[in-house]
Amino acid sequence: MRRFLFSFELMFSVGLFIVLLHPESAKLLLMHAPTCIWLAALGILIARAFQKPLAACMLAGFLAGVLYTAGYQQLLVQPIHQLSGQTMMVTAKIRSYPDVYENSQRVEVSIPKDVLSGFYPKADFAAIGYLPLTDETLKPGDTFEALVSFYEPNKRLDFDRQQYQMANGNWISFSILKNRETKEPAHFTVTHAEKVPWYGLPQSWNRTLGERILQQFPEREGGFLYSLLLGNRSALDAIDAQN
């Protein structure tokens, strides 16, 4: 039984990988899904007739991997990626504490599904955005309304930022549209939540404990412990960060 399960999983992964290498094939595969299923069923019956159950199991796994990934790409990934290049007004919810830079802050947000014109996806989806600096620190549960422009991150120094962000559940990126003359946001308002929601509590506890560590230990040791214990490398000095 274990051998059959392993073979099914292996061929499922092969089918998944092939579709990910050629995502443009997802639509074609779904259009001809009934034909693929009938051909696979015929192949499975032939394999069983020749008493090759392992071959039948591997064929079933391959077909399942191909069709599952094609459906996932076509019904979930593609509708979101079609937002790339579009500018629209959105109201989104903050999902995490931001990474603050000199002139902006990078934050994970939840985008409402109604910005999409299709039936899928059925739920809100996550994205990464670059917002203007705010007087009060943004936290999970806060909401903002802004005129944003969606885009797909490009590769930088052979690092595929889009694949990395998608692996962390963030489907697309966006930036705030700015006035060409004043360079100020065309529209950006924030509504702060009264308290951090339940899903943001671990992040809140993480930040609180990290602040205590930085208060109690010298700068270098505190930054190292913060990174080692809580996974936040923002307080590391340049040498430790490079090492």
Side-chain angles (χ1 to χ4, degrees), residues 17-197:
F17 184 69
I18 289 175
V19 177
L20 289 182
L21 282 180
H22 305 283
E24 66 281 355
S25 66
K27 184 176 181 180
L28 183 64
L29 286 169
L30 287 185
M31 289 176 58
H32 296 86
T35 303
C36 294
I37 293 174
W38 277 110
L39 290 175
L42 179 61
I44 291 171
L45 290 174
I46 293 174
R48 286 177 61 87
F50 284 91
Q51 297 184 351
K52 300 291 184 181
L54 185 61
C57 179
M58 294 176 69
L59 183 58
F62 178 76
L63 176 69
V66 167
L67 292 183
Y68 171 82
T69 311
Y72 190 81
Q73 285 282 346
Q74 192 64 24
L75 299 179
L76 179 63
V77 178
Q78 290 303 321
I80 296 176
H81 283 185
Q82 287 175 1
L83 289 173
S84 181
Q86 297 188 36
T87 298
M88 63 182 68
M89 189 75 71
V90 299
T91 300
K93 182 170 290 187
I94 305 295
R95 298 177 57 236
S96 66
Y97 287 94
D99 296 321
V100 180
Y101 306 121
E102 184 177 354
N103 298 315
S104 64
Q105 50 187 335
R106 176 181 177 272
V107 64
E108 296 182 12
V109 307
S110 180
I111 303 289
K113 61 184 178 183
D114 56 16
V115 304
L116 301 168
S117 56
F119 184 67
Y120 290 95
K122 292 185 176 182
D124 298 349
F125 60 92
I128 285 184
Y130 290 86
L131 306 180
L133 297 176
T134 51
D135 295 333
E136 184 178 341
T137 302
L138 295 177
K139 64 182 182 299
D142 292 348
T143 58
F144 71 88
E145 183 181 79
L147 187 62
V148 306
S149 179
F150 290 99
Y151 66 93
E152 295 182 13
N154 54 14
K155 290 186 178 180
R156 181 177 296 173
L157 299 176
D158 294 329
F159 177 66
D160 194 329
R161 294 190 297 158
Q162 183 180 19
Q163 290 297 327
Y164 174 77
Q165 291 182 10
M166 288 179 61
N168 286 281
N170 296 297
W171 298 100
I172 199 167
S173 297
F174 67 88
S175 59
I176 298 291
L177 197 67
K178 295 183 178 181
N179 186 295
R180 292 184 178 181
E181 297 180 357
T182 64
K183 303 303 180 182
E184 295 294 324
H187 180 82
F188 178 63
T189 59
V190 177
T191 302
H192 294 282
E194 294 183 1
K195 60 180 181 180
V196 176

